[in-house]
Amino acid sequence: MKEVHELLVAVVGENNVVTAKVDRVAYARDLTPYFSPPDLIVFPESRDHVIEILKIASKRDIPVTPRGGGASFQGSSLPVRGGIILDMSRMNKILEINKDDMIAVVQPGVRYETFEHELNKHGLTFPHDVGSHDAATIGGILASDSNGHHAYKHGRVSPWVQGMEVVLVDGSILNLGSRAPRYNMGYNLSALIAGSIGTLGIITQATLRLIPKMEYEATIGAFFQNLDDLMKASHAITMSGVDCGTLEATDGYTVNTISEVMNLGFPKCEGNFVGDVQGFSEEELQLKLNTIKKILEEHNGEKIIIARDEETTRTLWAPRLEIDIAIMKVHPGYREIGFAAADPCVPLSKMAEAMRVIGRIIRSHGILAAVFCHTGIGIIHPAVLFDPLNREHWIGVKNAEKEILDYVHSIDGVITAEHGLGYVKNIYVEQAVGGLKLKLDREIKRIFDPENILNPGKMGLDTNERDADVQFMYDEYISDGELWGVKK
Ligand SMILES: Cc1cc2nc3c(=O)[nH]c(=O)nc-3n(C[C@H](O)[C@H](O)[C@H](O)COP(=O)(O)OP(=O)(O)OC[C@H]3O[C@@H](n4cnc5c(N)ncnc54)[C@H](O)[C@@H]3O)c2cc1C
């Protein structure tokens, strides 16, 4: 690696290559249990840097794992075979915001929150706000084909990419799309690259479609004694034609815990509903709110709250966003860890049942569960909350994970619709997608990256990448004394 280090320094400069143990450890982890340090971390500042880095790596068969904010939740940006971490955070310029063409041209390392803040100043928005918006980068969001909070209304992110510059593993530059709003020219490689989590190429620039930011916004919430009523209400809102940005639900355990810990005075319930609504005028917004309120009442929604200020909005969203902090207060030492059953998708008619069953499966293994869902698009987010130092809890998580995914299959659902396959779902991929699809995926990978340099070990593309046994994260922590400087 000494030679590689010197070559990389010659390309990007001394300040842009890092090899200290403490830094390698920082890049060895994400929100999953796994631990795999890279050999070195490189910060490209331009497309040309990326080209030269890839040429150096591919000549020597060194794995390269791109990383944006590292918030993937599924081990996507972990360097599971070591090698180089390509940290894109210094390619973070917003190159253009163009109101006439309704586009922005950005480098991949721009954080979503920063980007959206700048767009709002121009009355524009890129409506793909992810829960990790303060960490997540545009490169990471595109490479994961993320589903933002407003995916119910705006869909996933890939159709919003008008143009993309991608550096392939041999250093060649693939330009897709343009500044024009649409193109239809053969296979949709832009959609293929978006969602390929850095396994096919490195996104070095993107031209993104924008829309006007609606001036009038509100959040409406209600509490239900019965999840079936809640889901029927959500479906009735969809059928009314009111174009909500989000339709969300959180289970009773979570709502009741948050209410108690934060003293919010919510009624005890089996679940709460939250919807975001926008309008181009106050009248339009009121019309939508009245329609939704009536539907919620007709379906036995209680304590309907309409939030027009930041504090009330935060209160309504608290069960969805604050559960990690609340749980730590009730159960010190507990935390949420990314696992393979974090984002399955089920048929809309099965949502109430699935929320109950999934919560029950997790709790039956002696760990806590907070279950959220995007009611309008079928995605369920079970969060496992437990003590990561307790080996029994880990075994519970692994068993629950498998049971949940089997259950999801049994009701004709899919194992992931938001975070993607990443690393944690490797062992479930073949069962989920089928042998032929996996074979085709592997062929596509081989065409783009024949030597498997780019983000290897992900999406089930490599065989036998991960065994099914419990991997106890703190075994690494405790045993690798040399790296951590601690004794077992
Ligand atoms: C609290 C929390 C809330 C979340 N909420 C949501 C949500 O609402 N919706 C959702 O979809 N996801 C959500 N996620 C998952 C995650 O935040 C998103 O997938 C996000 O897009 C990751 O962005 P990132 O910059 O952190 O990417 P990283 O985690 O750094 O990378 C993600 C993948 O993209 C690759 N990559 C990064 N940059 C590039 C590049 N320039 N070129 C090619 N490949 C690249 C990486 O190698 C990796 O495989 C959430 C995660 C957390 C922790």
Side-chain angles (χ1 to χ4, degrees):
M1 274 292 161
K2 192 162 176 289
E3 182 218 358
V4 175
H5 182 243
E6 281 166 11
L7 288 169
L8 291 171
V9 167
V11 172
V12 296
E14 196 120 22
N15 289 336
N16 286 328
V17 186
V18 170
T19 53
K21 275 180 193 163
V22 65
D23 296 304
R24 292 175 49 227
V25 164
Y27 285 87
R29 287 282 329 276
D30 66 355
L31 296 149
T32 63
Y34 305 104
F35 178 89
S36 50
D39 294 300
L40 36 79
I41 301 112
V42 188
F43 299 86
E45 290 185 359
S46 66
R47 177 194 69 189
D48 291 348
H49 280 172
V50 174
I51 292 171
E52 293 310 316
I53 295 164
L54 291 192
K55 282 184 181 166
I56 290 168
S58 47
K59 213 179 252 176
R60 291 161 184 79
D61 279 348
I62 300 170
V64 175
T65 305
R67 185 163 173 129
S72 91
F73 224 69
Q74 299 290 294
S76 305
S77 53
L78 283 181
V80 295
R81 301 257 179 90
I84 295 172
I85 277 278
L86 195 66
D87 185 321
M88 305 302 286
S89 62
R90 293 184 190 169
M91 287 181 69
N92 61 356
K93 293 191 188 63
I94 299 171
L95 301 170
E96 182 183 347
I97 294 174
N98 190 314
K99 222 169 166 169
D100 294 331
D101 286 336
M102 301 289 280
I103 55 168
V105 183
V106 297
Q107 291 187 321
V110 179
R111 296 202 187 282
Y112 180 85
E113 202 172 52
T114 313
F115 181 44
E116 185 62 13
H117 183 68
E118 285 308 308
L119 291 177
N120 291 173
K121 290 182 195 166
H122 298 262
L124 295 165
T125 180
F126 183 62
H128 300 282
D129 187 9
V130 286
S132 53
H133 53 207
D134 46 351
T137 62
I138 296 298
I141 287 173
L142 298 188
S144 310
D145 198 4
S146 294
N147 257 301
H149 279 165
H150 289 166
Y152 170 69
K153 181 169 179 177
H154 298 298
R156 50 193 329 117
V157 76
S158 51
W160 292 69
V161 181
Q162 281 186 207
M164 199 167 12
E165 178 188 82
V166 185
V167 177
L168 302 184
V169 72
D170 62 357
S172 53
I173 302 162
L174 176 66
N175 278 302
L176 298 167
S178 73
R179 296 170 68 88
R182 298 281 188 278
Y183 75 104
N184 182 0
M185 300 189 287
Y187 297 122
N188 188 347
L189 293 190
S190 176
L192 181 64
I193 303 277
S196 70
I197 59 164
T199 59
L200 301 182
I202 308 298
I203 301 165
T204 47
Q205 192 171 299
T207 303
L208 304 172
R209 180 158 79 88
L210 308 174
I211 55 170
K213 181 160 172 54
M214 296 281 189
E215 206 176 312
Y216 299 88
E217 291 179 307
T219 301
I220 181 163
F223 301 83
F224 288 83
Q225 295 307 322
N226 187 319
L227 278 175
D228 297 290
D229 283 347
L230 189 161
M231 294 304 166
K232 281 181 193 150
S234 171
H235 190 60
I237 293 168
T238 300
M239 292 306 291
S240 75
V242 172
D243 60 336
C244 290
T246 54
L247 296 174
E248 302 275 323
T250 307
D251 72 348
Y253 170 77
T254 312
V255 180
N256 300 336
T257 306
I258 284 278
S259 179
E260 219 170 286
V261 172
M262 295 176 72
N263 205 14
L264 297 177
F266 291 158
K268 284 238 182 297
C269 62
E270 202 195 359
N272 81 332
F273 164 87
V274 174
D276 276 351
V277 202
Q278 293 89 28
F280 58 81
S281 69
E282 185 61 30
E283 292 70 33
E284 193 210 7
L285 183 66
Q286 286 302 335
L287 186 63
K288 289 179 176 177
L289 285 170
N290 289 338
T291 309
I292 296 170
K293 187 165 178 276
K294 190 160 170 277
I295 292 171
L296 293 173
E297 283 165 350
E298 283 166 2
H299 290 82
N300 306 319
E302 294 171 13
K303 195 171 178 174
I304 296 170
I305 300 172
I306 295 178
R308 298 299 301 270
D309 61 274
E310 214 174 294
E311 200 187 325
T312 321
T313 307
R314 263 212 313 271
T315 304
L316 275 180
W317 275 95
R320 176 81 173 78
L321 301 177
E322 311 284 350
I323 186 67
D324 290 19
I325 293 160
I327 283 293
M328 280 189 251
K329 284 191 182 152
V330 189
H331 298 278
Y334 275 46
R335 45 180 289 212
E336 183 187 355
I337 303 279
F339 77 137
D343 63 327
C345 191
V346 303
L348 295 180
S349 59
K350 300 278 186 194
M351 294 215 67
E353 173 198 303
M355 276 184 85
R356 288 193 192 106
V357 171
I358 289 173
R360 255 197 322 264
I361 289 175
I362 295 173
R363 286 188 265 276
S364 76
H365 290 283
I367 39 186
L368 299 177
V371 185
F372 323 114
C373 69
H374 307 302
T375 60
I377 51 176
I379 297 175
I380 301 195
H381 287 306
V384 278
L385 304 152
F386 61 100
D387 175 3
L389 290 172
N390 183 327
R391 188 180 284 272
E392 292 307 311
H393 284 188
W394 274 111
I395 293 167
V397 170
K398 299 313 292 177
N399 290 334
E401 171 181 287
K402 181 157 186 340
E403 274 179 45
I404 292 169
L405 297 182
D406 284 346
Y407 164 71
V408 166
H409 280 300
S410 77
I411 57 168
D412 211 12
V414 295
I415 67 169
T416 176
E418 188 172 294
H419 301 154
L421 296 170
Y423 180 62
V424 302
K425 297 191 182 89
N426 270 344
I427 55 167
Y428 300 106
V429 173
E430 186 155 5
Q431 183 199 5
V433 304
L436 181 56
K437 159 91 165 71
L438 186 56
K439 184 169 170 278
L440 291 171
D441 282 357
R442 287 175 175 165
E443 289 301 320
I444 290 168
K445 168 72 171 168
R446 251 192 293 280
I447 292 168
F448 277 85
D449 181 18
E451 303 305 326
N452 200 13
I453 302 292
L454 294 175
N455 205 0
K458 309 290 163 69
M459 292 184 8
L461 294 171
D462 303 336
T463 45
N464 304 323
E465 185 54 45
R466 201 193 112 197
D467 69 40
D469 291 342
V470 176
Q471 298 196 14
F472 188 55
M473 68 193 287
Y474 287 92
D475 278 352
E476 294 281 4
Y477 174 82
I478 293 162
S479 66
D480 199 342
E482 199 263 328
L483 189 65
W484 287 85
V486 288
K487 288 210 173 78
K488 196 164 184 166

